[in-house]
Amino acid sequence: MKNVKALIITGFGINCEEEMAAAYKLAGAETKIVHLNDIFSEKISIHDYDIMNFPGGFSFGDDLGSGKVLSNKMKFKKMKSGKLFFEDIKDFLDEEKFVFGVCNGFQFLVKMGLLPNLNSDFEQEITLTGNNSAKYEDRWVHCKVNENSKTPFLKRIDKLFVPVRHGEGKLIIKNEQIRNKIVEKNLNCLTYCDEFGKETSEYPLNPNGADLNCAALTDETGRVFGLMPHPEAFLSLYNHPNWSQLKRQNPDIYEDGEGLQIFRNIVEFIHRKNVKSTKKK
Amino acid sequence: MKNQIQITLKDKIRDVFGEKIEQNAQKFLNLNTGKVKTSKIYNVTYSLDSNSIEKFAKLGLCDEITQDYYLNQFYKNSIYKSFILVAKMPGVTDDEGISAQKTLADILELDLDVNTQHIYSEELFLIENELSAEDLKNIAENLLGNKLIQHFEYGKFTGKIDYIPEVHISSNIRTEIVDLNISDADLIDISCNKVLSLNLEEMKEIRKFFNDEKTIKLRKEKKLPEDPTDCELEIIAQTWSEHCKHKEFDAIIDYENLETGEKKQIDSLFKTYIKASTNIIRERLEKVGNNWLLKIFNDNAGVVKIDDKSVFIWKVETHNSPSAIDPYGGAITGILGNNRDPMATGVGGGKLLFNTNVLCFGPPNYDKPLIAGQLHPRRIFEGVRHGIEDGGNKSGIPTVNGSIIFDERYSGKPLVYCGTGGIMPMDYNGKPSWDKPIDSGDLIIMAGGRVGKDGIHGATFSSTELDEHSPQSAVQIGSPITQKLLSDFMTEAALKGLIKCSTDNGAGGLSSSVGELALISNGAEIYLEKVPLKYANLQPWEIFISESQERMSLVIEPEKLAELYDLAEAREVELSNIGKFTDSGYLEVRFQNEIISYLDLDFLHNGVPRKHLSAEWKKPNLVEPNIPQNLDYNDILLKLMGSYNICSRENVIRQYDHEVKGKTIIKPLMGKDGKTPQDAAVMRLDFESFAGLAISNGICPKYGDIDAYEMSAGAFDEGIRQIISVGGKLPEINDRSNRFWTVNDNFCVPDSAFDPVNNLDGKQKLAKLVQMNEALYDMSTFFNIPMTSGKDSMKNDFKAGNVKISVPPTILYSMVAKVDDVRKTVTSNFKAEGDFIYILGKTYDELGGSEFYKLFDELGVISPKVRKINAKRLYEKVTKANEQNLIESCHDLSDGGMAIAISESAIGTEFGVELIISNFEELSLNAILFSESHSRFVISINPKNKLIFEELLGQDCLLIGEVTSEKKVKIALKDKIVVDVEIDELQNAWDKGLGN
């Protein structure tokens, strides 16, 4: 799958770029970690890549609200040629390419209007804000996949056990109409649940009080995907908080982490798509 | 011109932070605020037209889904009767304001000066109930902020806020000449008034230097005044400070043991014990051609070899004094400052892998009247916790383990130990990364934050006792985002070979960083007018010793300068070219072409007179307590589980990101429910292999009240046994796989210099310090586990009037050991029903200093003693057992002894335990259950491995019971049940111990 090229954005306080790159490498893609300013200065073009990734972190220290300053930078900053970077992202999406955001990265996508983007007008429709617990927390949560979701990222996954590590992950939707559309179109692709897969709003199973108990969103194409939990933090069995007991129970247990499947899915999907389009040509 | 923007939550949106303030006001201050509405105010002093400011407010500051903005007016609602404004004092870090400036420049496409403050952020709280000015002040000062760094307004809200913390300093810049040919009393006055923290002998030594004929002649040639300048005095004071020169650890000590009559003279604790022990180990290693100890004691952090491609760098520091007066600022500055040490070791640019934190506080329920300037331990706890949270999380460095200890004697000064480990490639473009070469002609480039008045006299301040007049400039707030940009930049620049070497600007600022680097090339020249400032009109000496944070001094070859500047511009890091290294033998400081300091480097670094101290040891007069008979052991166990030193730290741990970077394998809490506490942290080094590190902390100050030597030895043992517990292996001199162990020793002691008026028991305290060092030497050389870096903090006393609160002598051994395969490490939680439980290592009647005695307010006489030979034998056997995968769970025994260890291994699992105690014949039940004897573990094994395990462990293991499916702790003494309590009950007590 060497023909899949994953671009991983960094800079300004993003701090999960290395494990994100490791995830793509393990999934068989070619990866490059690039400072956002090197894209603005056009040293790097996003169009040379199949998927653009926004990792987690504390961009601008979460000042003015998580993801706020960096998403505005991406919305308003002009590249060296004078083109708005945001227009470049839109072109990238028009090429039917993929965008993925985790945690802080999800916060950018939401605040830039890339998710859920119901009207294709890139206006902000939801936000991610302070947890009901009024604190940052690192804890592992169970999530279940919306079986009607079409996004390739979540294929063949029903449930995920992954850590959340945020202070501002509570999803709030602008109005009832948008809320209904999200549900109707199955854009709420991942839901906080208990260990048996039952959706719940109960803290700490739902760690932040998100509306719809929603942990992740896609746009209608399924090509833009963002989530609060960190799949790139569970690449190996040994990231699991109870790996040692799992191994006792099953000495032959698979040594990959559940989070890796998301990266495998998307890399494989892009690979197939690229093969097809090469054939067409 | 000024525009004011207020951002509030829409009324329909739940204000979770307001709710928290309401709850905390009730809980901690017994005040009923009613509803609290939070909001932010941004005072914008850039000149902007009304369209621009509106666009900025709407797009840049406001989140339209949940918030409203008000431009030059305020949200009004008559239900709120009171308000509190929390603003920063002039010059206090305002990251939020700076970020607002940057986003303003982005959104409006303006080319603005974003490096100095033009947007000032403030917090406005609207409060439903009409509270008195006194109550509002109470909330402001005790819940919302710290009066040392914040400005408060409160009362009935009039709809007007005028306060903007702009910095104004009158422009009278001059360099003062200080005449030292004055009386002794006047010399002391100068030292006090200028906060130099120099004693009379040191002041006289300086006078002697300036009165020396050679000095006079040279200064004449250079057209300098005969007397020193203020800048020169400040540089000497900073360089000679206890913080920088460790004068007490370097002192000559006359030690007398009054018990045995033994007398000896110790020529420097540091050289005699710490350095000597590491040198012995190094010699042993080198003799067999093992050279993993790459760098010890002579850089910002120690360096050891991981393999041919990379090195491990690590440092643990303390930040106690600042954390006492501003817990949040003290802790965040502490952790960020400590991060800069491994970042700037050798060439620099290392990637930081983890943080650790060990904290000592007064008890949260402290109920003595607070003395002037003293903050309540609960506030210190919360502030420090928050500082560590922001310092670690916002930098993307996982906080992988730590410890919190409560003792009333930490109520004045808390101890805040910050540790950081990092990795550098073995070389950058063929040059060793851990080397620090500097040649005459190399440039001095300052990188990162700007310079303000913050932290002036930090180095000298930390060397004094705290009192109610402690200077406000000692308080600083770190900026993790500034440092993150700087650290990313340095990593990139180092990999490109642009940095020759580097050091950080911490205590003592440029004076310290340049002054120390200058020793390598033997001279430096600095031009202070080139140092970028946060605001105008700092005195030249202030610029030189300011401790403004997030700055590095880089050593750059002239031909690399252009490329370095290009990269810095692309990464938005400010650089300034402030001077060059020379080989003149002098530290020359200029301000606008005038020489304001010209100091002989040899005098500066070696001229400080050595201290001469006395130590006297007399055994404390203690008695063994009478503990009541017929105790209810269920009740005792529940009380212990809920006691401050044992109970759950989950609320703290969860607020630290302990797994960013994806490499944390054993986290602080593990098991089915993610609740079982672990011994050492384990991390893998990269994603390609399973080689890793185990990270532990050994600290047990409580035993020092009985025996300081055994306390220090015990702490060392604790550090080792935690690593053995998770599957580590003791070092072997002949092992050629670079399987290193590295220790940072951190001594925090009360003032131990005898004074007939102020410090009557100084000799006794110093004797304890000597004994702690003897134990360090004995343990280190016995186990071949070397110190690679460390720190001492000598004046941990908090004074007001005639009250003094002094910490108990405390030593922390922070250890890291390389682990071959993280997949083979062992966690503490029980794994399966029916597994056999053993206690490994012998239990002694050593209840002195135990948590069990503490329940009865008793100390006791016999505290745990380390039996090195037995310990080593056991540790080697445990390793062998692990090599055969025999051990399913392992937990080391410490606070609370065996009963607590088995309870902790059951917490958060689906299991209970059933123990039958019969083979401890000579011991009391109290000792069996609660003795804290060192070098012991509670482990479980799969029953099928019983024979092979027992054969391997021999007399070092004792079968005591098994893991059950019934979620209970059941302990029987022969046939009598002494403990029978539900795990849920134990867990409940454990969870609620800290009142969360």
Side-chain angles (χ1 to χ4, degrees):
Chain A
M1 278 174 260
K2 273 289 170 209
N3 68 345
V4 178
K5 292 171 88 180
L7 175 66
I8 292 158
I9 306 284
T10 191
F12 303 107
I14 289 172
N15 61 36
C16 297
E17 69 279 7
E18 286 187 16
E19 51 266 48
M20 185 83 120
Y24 276 102
K25 248 180 239 161
L26 288 169
E30 218 178 279
T31 69
K32 193 170 172 72
I33 298 174
V34 172
H35 195 286
L36 196 54
N37 277 348
D38 289 347
I39 298 174
F40 294 154
S41 69
E42 298 183 4
K43 267 193 201 160
I44 300 281
S45 166
I46 59 175
H47 303 285
D48 293 336
Y49 295 84
D50 299 295
I51 178 162
M52 180 162 43
N53 297 278
F54 297 99
F58 270 92
S59 59
F60 291 93
D62 266 5
D63 294 336
L64 315 183
S66 56
K68 181 82 176 160
V69 177
L70 198 61
S71 64
N72 273 331
K73 188 179 273 297
M74 293 193 268
K75 250 191 139 150
F76 294 99
K77 197 91 181 163
K78 280 184 183 147
M79 301 194 299
K80 196 173 157 202
S81 61
K83 182 182 182 184
L84 266 178
F85 176 59
F86 199 59
E87 291 302 321
D88 210 34
I89 296 181
K90 287 182 189 169
D91 291 347
F92 184 81
L93 290 173
D94 286 344
E95 293 157 24
E96 301 201 345
K97 289 186 168 178
F98 298 79
V99 175
F100 182 28
V102 176
C103 196
N104 204 202
F106 184 31
Q107 290 159 342
F108 309 147
L109 298 185
V110 157
K111 293 182 183 187
M112 280 194 286
L114 261 66
L115 283 175
N117 197 18
L118 290 164
N119 302 319
S120 306
D121 57 1
F122 300 95
E123 289 295 323
Q124 188 181 342
E125 293 161 324
I126 67 163
T127 196
L128 291 157
T129 186
N131 297 348
N132 278 348
S133 64
K135 58 190 179 190
Y136 172 99
E137 283 190 316
D138 175 345
R139 59 166 74 247
W140 284 61
V141 295
H142 297 277
C143 297
K144 80 170 190 182
V145 174
N146 180 338
E147 55 195 21
N148 298 314
S149 167
K150 286 179 299 193
T151 181
F153 286 91
L154 295 172
K155 260 193 189 164
R156 291 183 300 249
I157 304 176
D158 329 311
K159 268 181 71 186
L160 267 178
F161 185 52
V162 270
V164 288
R165 309 194 313 250
H166 62 247
E168 299 186 23
K170 179 170 66 174
L171 189 128
I172 294 183
I173 300 167
K174 192 173 181 181
N175 57 43
E176 205 56 26
Q177 193 194 357
I178 293 172
R179 191 177 192 272
N180 292 340
K181 272 196 185 167
I182 289 173
V183 174
E184 191 184 301
K185 299 183 180 213
N186 295 300
L187 305 185
N188 54 333
C189 49
L190 207 56
T191 309
Y192 298 114
C193 64
D194 63 18
E195 60 181 309
F196 309 105
K198 188 169 171 287
E199 178 179 338
T200 178
S201 58
E202 198 183 313
Y203 173 82
L205 296 168
N206 171 338
N208 47 41
D211 195 2
L212 299 173
N213 302 310
C214 181
L217 287 172
T218 69
D219 70 347
E220 286 184 63
T221 68
R223 292 195 296 269
V224 182
F225 174 55
L227 78 171
M228 282 318 298
H230 288 267
E232 83 291 354
F234 190 14
L235 300 180
S236 153
L237 167 70
Y238 302 93
N239 293 125
H240 191 290
N242 197 25
W243 64 264
S244 53
Q245 194 184 13
L246 296 177
K247 222 175 146 182
R248 166 69 184 276
Q249 289 160 348
N250 175 9
D252 302 320
I253 192 168
Y254 198 47
E255 283 191 328
D256 285 343
E258 283 175 33
L260 187 54
Q261 190 57 41
I262 291 184
F263 298 91
R264 289 218 167 105
N265 280 345
I266 198 64
V267 170
E268 196 185 313
F269 189 85
I270 294 170
H271 172 70
R272 286 215 187 118
K273 185 174 152 253
N274 287 354
V275 169
K276 246 188 245 165
S277 69
T278 321
K279 275 183 191 158
K280 263 186 220 162
K281 277 172 199 166
Chain B
M1 202 193 84
K2 156 189 116 165
N3 280 292
Q4 233 169 7
I5 300 162
Q6 185 192 21
I7 304 290
T8 66
L9 283 175
K10 292 178 193 293
D11 282 333
K12 64 173 188 191
I13 301 292
R14 185 176 162 193
D15 191 338
V16 294
F17 297 99
E19 287 170 14
K20 188 141 179 179
I21 293 165
E22 185 182 348
Q23 285 159 15
N24 287 345
Q26 191 71 58
K27 188 166 155 193
F28 299 125
L29 308 174
N30 202 19
L31 289 172
N32 181 3
T33 56
K35 219 172 146 171
V36 176
K37 189 170 181 73
T38 59
S39 72
K40 289 240 165 91
I41 297 172
Y42 298 91
N43 296 289
V44 184
T45 62
Y46 292 113
S47 176
L48 295 171
D49 63 48
S50 60
N51 284 341
S52 301
I53 194 80
E54 180 107 28
K55 187 172 175 189
F56 171 55
K58 184 172 188 301
L59 300 173
L61 301 177
C62 185
D63 183 328
E64 60 171 309
I65 312 294
T66 53
Q67 295 173 326
D68 292 318
Y69 68 92
Y70 299 84
L71 189 54
N72 297 320
Q73 55 174 326
F74 289 97
Y75 166 88
K76 282 195 196 80
N77 186 333
S78 59
I79 78 150
Y80 298 103
K81 306 291 189 306
S82 317
F83 87 103
I84 296 173
L85 175 82
V86 180
K88 291 166 184 72
M89 279 185 174
V92 173
T93 305
D94 184 356
D95 263 356
E96 190 118 56
I98 296 279
S99 290
Q101 294 174 184
K102 292 183 175 168
T103 202
L104 171 67
D106 285 342
I107 291 171
L108 298 177
E109 292 181 69
L110 296 172
D111 187 16
L112 294 172
D113 164 23
V114 294
N115 290 317
T116 58
Q117 205 85 36
H118 298 272
I119 297 183
Y120 299 85
S121 72
E122 298 171 348
E123 290 176 289
L124 179 69
F125 301 92
L126 298 176
I127 293 166
E128 184 177 357
N129 292 346
E130 196 170 335
L131 297 180
S132 68
E134 196 191 340
D135 289 345
L136 292 169
K137 184 177 175 214
N138 189 359
I139 295 172
E141 291 185 355
N142 293 312
L143 268 189
L144 302 177
N146 183 338
K147 64 181 174 187
L148 281 180
I149 48 167
Q150 275 152 331
H151 164 93
F152 302 118
E153 290 176 15
Y154 39 81
K156 190 172 155 45
F157 191 48
T158 58
K160 209 171 152 218
I161 300 289
D162 290 325
Y163 179 80
I164 296 183
E166 281 176 299
V167 177
H168 299 291
I169 303 172
S170 67
S171 60
N172 187 14
I173 292 177
R174 61 189 201 96
T175 292
E176 189 193 338
I177 311 302
V178 186
D179 181 2
L180 297 183
N181 292 305
I182 50 177
S183 72
D184 289 359
D186 287 345
L187 281 177
I188 289 292
D189 272 358
I190 288 182
S191 174
C192 286
N193 295 339
K194 290 186 177 292
V195 203
L196 301 178
S197 294
L198 294 168
N199 63 27
L200 181 63
E201 198 194 346
E202 290 161 345
M203 289 299 285
K204 282 181 167 169
E205 194 69 23
I206 298 170
R207 177 168 68 194
K208 198 172 117 200
F209 174 78
F210 280 92
N211 287 343
D212 187 276
E213 267 174 44
K214 266 193 342 216
T215 315
I216 293 173
K217 186 164 166 263
L218 182 85
R219 292 179 76 83
K220 210 171 219 168
E221 280 167 28
K222 287 275 165 187
K223 297 196 175 75
L224 285 163
E226 237 174 63
D227 294 316
T229 64
D230 52 6
C231 188
E232 287 173 320
L233 268 186
E234 293 283 353
I235 294 170
I236 296 169
Q238 171 272 310
T239 312
W240 289 9
S241 68
E242 184 58 49
H243 187 93
C244 299
K245 272 283 176 268
H246 311 283
K247 290 177 284 194
E248 296 193 355
F249 256 74
D250 196 41
I252 294 164
I253 296 173
D254 288 314
Y255 179 91
E256 184 175 4
N257 185 333
L258 298 178
E259 300 290 323
T260 61
E262 180 210 353
K263 284 186 187 176
K264 60 179 169 183
Q265 192 174 64
I266 299 154
D267 182 1
S268 165
L269 287 172
F270 176 65
K271 283 188 206 129
T272 309
Y273 299 111
I274 302 173
K275 209 170 174 183
S277 59
T278 298
N279 279 335
I280 287 172
I281 298 166
R282 182 183 239 177
E283 278 166 26
R284 289 175 187 164
L285 285 167
E286 284 177 352
K287 219 172 174 177
V288 295
N290 244 336
N291 63 346
W292 49 260
L293 264 177
L294 292 177
K295 201 168 207 187
I296 45 176
F297 304 123
N298 63 354
D299 203 331
N300 288 317
V303 183
V304 292
K305 184 174 169 184
I306 296 173
D307 52 31
D308 291 339
K309 282 181 288 186
S310 53
V311 300
F312 176 68
I313 14 173
W314 111 282
K315 174 79 175 193
V316 184
E317 285 254 13
T318 54
H319 222 222
N320 309 333
S321 299
S323 302
I325 54 176
D326 182 40
Y328 175 79
I332 193 170
T333 314
I335 191 68
L336 293 178
N338 189 63
N339 288 164
R340 287 194 302 275
D341 280 333
M343 261 167 77
T345 293
V347 174
K351 283 193 180 177
L352 304 185
L353 188 65
F354 64 82
N355 285 334
T356 68
N357 292 104
V358 172
L359 312 171
C360 302
F361 299 125
N365 64 350
Y366 187 78
D367 58 0
K368 292 190 176 157
L370 297 176
I371 58 178
Q374 183 193 5
L375 297 175
H376 192 279
R378 194 184 57 240
R379 273 200 74 189
I380 294 185
F381 181 3
E382 175 50 25
V384 167
R385 186 212 59 71
H386 190 198
I388 292 166
E389 173 192 336
D390 280 358
N393 295 3
K394 294 190 175 186
S395 306
I397 303 166
T399 300
V400 295
N401 80 350
S403 179
I404 306 176
I405 288 166
F406 296 100
D407 185 305
E408 202 159 287
R409 290 168 288 178
Y410 298 115
S411 301
K413 261 198 196 181
L415 302 184
V416 176
Y417 294 96
C418 306
T420 306
I423 292 178
M424 272 194 299
M426 180 60 90
D427 51 56
Y428 289 120
N429 299 328
K431 291 177 188 157
S433 65
W434 41 277
D435 209 4
K436 231 179 183 76
I438 302 178
D439 295 297
S440 177
D442 289 339
L443 303 173
I444 305 170
I445 306 295
M446 193 181 92
R450 290 192 160 207
V451 172
K453 271 185 185 271
D454 21 2
I456 284 176
H457 288 142
T460 50
F461 158 74
S462 74
S463 311
T464 51
E465 295 159 344
L466 284 183
D467 63 31
E468 67 258 58
H469 306 296
S470 297
Q472 191 204 110
S473 67
V475 177
Q476 323 173 52
I477 309 286
S479 166
I481 182 67
T482 307
Q483 184 149 311
K484 175 72 175 143
L485 264 57
L486 176 61
S487 100
D488 289 354
F489 160 72
M490 272 186 72
T491 301
E492 227 178 317
L495 284 171
K496 287 181 182 220
L498 300 176
I499 299 177
K500 185 159 173 177
C501 68
S502 63
T503 200
D504 81 306
N505 286 290
L510 286 170
S511 170
S512 168
S513 69
V514 176
E516 281 177 25
L517 289 181
L519 286 172
I520 300 175
S521 69
N522 198 28
E525 249 177 68
I526 292 279
Y527 322 111
L528 287 180
E529 71 281 358
K530 295 190 175 175
V531 175
L533 304 179
K534 292 182 180 178
Y535 33 78
N537 297 334
L538 290 188
Q539 297 296 344
W541 69 266
E542 292 179 314
I543 299 174
F544 204 49
I545 68 158
S546 160
E547 298 184 1
S548 288
Q549 297 291 301
E550 294 85 39
R551 287 183 298 149
M552 289 286 183
S553 290
L554 311 180
V555 179
I556 305 297
E557 290 159 322
E559 64 271 21
K560 305 268 173 74
L561 195 62
E563 200 183 336
L564 185 84
Y565 266 76
D566 284 349
L567 181 65
E569 199 192 343
R571 300 298 174 255
E572 304 188 22
V573 170
E574 192 172 28
L575 298 185
S576 40
N577 185 347
I578 60 169
K580 63 179 186 209
F581 289 97
T582 66
D583 52 12
S584 66
Y586 284 83
L587 178 61
E588 181 175 331
V589 182
R590 291 167 179 255
F591 184 71
Q592 289 164 348
N593 260 331
E594 190 191 343
I595 301 179
I596 59 165
S597 168
Y598 193 73
L599 286 172
D600 181 277
L601 277 173
D602 183 49
F603 169 72
L604 182 60
H605 285 282
N606 305 318
V608 60
R610 281 185 77 182
K611 281 194 174 173
H612 203 121
L613 302 170
S614 303
E616 252 174 34
W617 176 246
K618 203 174 167 310
K619 242 183 159 171
N621 220 345
L622 301 168
V623 286
E624 212 42 66
N626 283 320
I627 299 298
Q629 303 287 313
N630 301 322
L631 293 169
D632 174 350
Y633 286 99
N634 285 349
D635 182 55
I636 298 277
L637 190 54
L638 285 166
K639 277 193 181 131
L640 280 174
M641 285 301 275
S643 65
Y644 282 143
N645 282 328
I646 291 174
C647 69
S648 173
R649 271 71 173 133
E650 181 172 3
N651 183 49
V652 175
I653 292 166
R654 296 249 169 260
Q655 293 182 75
Y656 301 155
D657 188 335
H658 42 260
E659 51 198 325
V660 59
K661 294 191 186 301
K663 294 172 184 158
T664 317
I665 304 302
I666 297 188
K667 312 173 217 274
L669 299 171
M670 302 279 286
K672 183 175 87 50
D673 300 339
K675 281 196 178 277
T676 322
Q678 304 297 314
D679 294 334
V682 173
M683 294 194 78
R684 63 196 287 196
L685 290 162
D686 53 48
F687 296 100
E688 283 79 42
S689 78
F690 286 96
L693 303 175
I695 303 135
S696 72
N697 294 296
I699 181 170
C700 47
K702 58 187 187 175
Y703 306 131
D705 294 327
I706 297 173
D707 187 332
Y709 177 94
E710 287 299 340
M711 177 272 276
S712 171
F716 203 100
D717 181 70
E718 187 183 19
I720 301 175
R721 72 181 184 249
Q722 286 178 355
I723 289 179
I724 298 298
S725 180
V726 298
K729 187 176 177 186
L730 285 177
E732 288 162 334
I733 292 292
N734 289 307
D735 185 333
R736 307 303 293 264
S737 63
N738 299 307
R739 201 169 43 73
F740 62 76
W741 280 64
T742 144
V743 184
N744 270 260
D745 59 290
N746 263 273
F747 289 86
C748 285
V749 295
D751 188 355
S752 303
F754 171 75
D755 183 284
V757 183
N758 294 319
N759 202 15
L760 271 175
D761 58 350
K763 292 182 187 175
Q764 181 77 7
K765 291 180 197 155
L766 190 63
K768 287 189 173 188
L769 181 61
V770 171
Q771 294 168 0
M772 287 154 72
N773 275 278
E774 289 171 336
L776 174 151
Y777 179 91
D778 292 348
M779 291 294 284
S780 160
T781 50
F782 179 80
F783 284 101
N784 286 315
I785 295 178
M787 310 302 122
T788 52
S789 196
K791 189 76 197 297
D792 57 273
S793 168
M794 303 301 297
K795 307 278 159 175
N796 291 291
D797 311 272
F798 193 95
K799 255 173 105 172
N802 51 8
V803 183
K804 180 159 100 171
I805 308 174
S806 299
V807 307
T810 307
I811 168 83
L812 167 68
Y813 294 106
S814 309
M815 301 195 184
V816 175
K818 194 170 151 191
V819 172
D820 293 337
D821 187 342
V822 298
R823 295 172 296 181
K824 296 199 145 199
T825 56
V826 180
T827 56
S828 70
N829 43 302
F830 292 132
K831 304 294 186 304
E833 184 191 347
D835 277 6
F836 290 152
I837 301 172
Y838 290 79
I839 184 165
L840 310 187
K842 194 168 176 199
T843 306
Y844 297 85
D845 190 353
E846 293 175 324
L847 283 164
S850 68
E851 295 302 312
F852 174 70
Y853 272 8
K854 204 173 281 169
L855 286 184
F856 303 92
D857 253 335
E858 297 285 358
L859 179 62
V861 186
I862 305 166
S863 63
K865 196 172 147 68
V866 177
R867 294 152 182 97
K868 294 191 284 282
I869 295 168
N870 296 351
K872 192 172 179 193
R873 182 185 65 235
L874 175 63
Y875 297 165
E876 285 167 353
K877 286 181 180 176
V878 170
T879 300
K880 280 202 183 109
N882 277 325
E883 280 164 358
Q884 299 175 49
N885 298 324
L886 297 178
I887 299 181
E888 297 294 338
S889 75
C890 187
H891 194 14
D892 84 306
L893 268 61
S894 58
D895 292 336
M898 190 260 277
I900 293 301
I902 54 139
S903 304
E904 286 182 345
S905 288
I907 273 184
T909 70
E910 56 270 59
F911 310 115
V913 293
E914 203 170 322
L915 307 188
I916 298 172
I917 299 167
S918 54
N919 288 326
F920 295 88
E921 307 289 353
E922 73 280 26
L923 287 181
S924 68
L925 180 60
N926 291 343
I928 296 168
L929 294 177
F930 306 118
S931 171
E932 298 178 6
S933 294
H934 294 304
S935 321
R936 294 182 303 154
F937 308 94
V938 160
I939 65 115
S940 62
I941 63 161
N942 190 325
K944 71 174 186 195
N945 294 320
K946 182 168 187 284
L947 278 181
I948 174 168
F949 179 77
E950 287 183 356
E951 199 174 280
L952 184 59
L953 268 288
Q955 56 174 16
D956 287 314
C957 74
L958 183 61
L959 178 64
I960 52 172
E962 66 179 70
V963 177
T964 59
S965 61
E966 190 182 17
K967 287 189 73 183
K968 272 185 164 187
V969 170
K970 268 187 179 168
I971 304 176
L973 181 66
K974 292 175 186 151
D975 48 8
K976 188 183 157 209
I977 298 220
V978 288
V979 174
D980 184 356
V981 56
E982 301 277 341
I983 299 281
D984 286 350
E985 238 183 300
L986 288 169
Q987 182 167 339
N988 191 38
W990 193 65
D991 278 340
K992 292 195 170 140
L994 285 173
N996 304 304

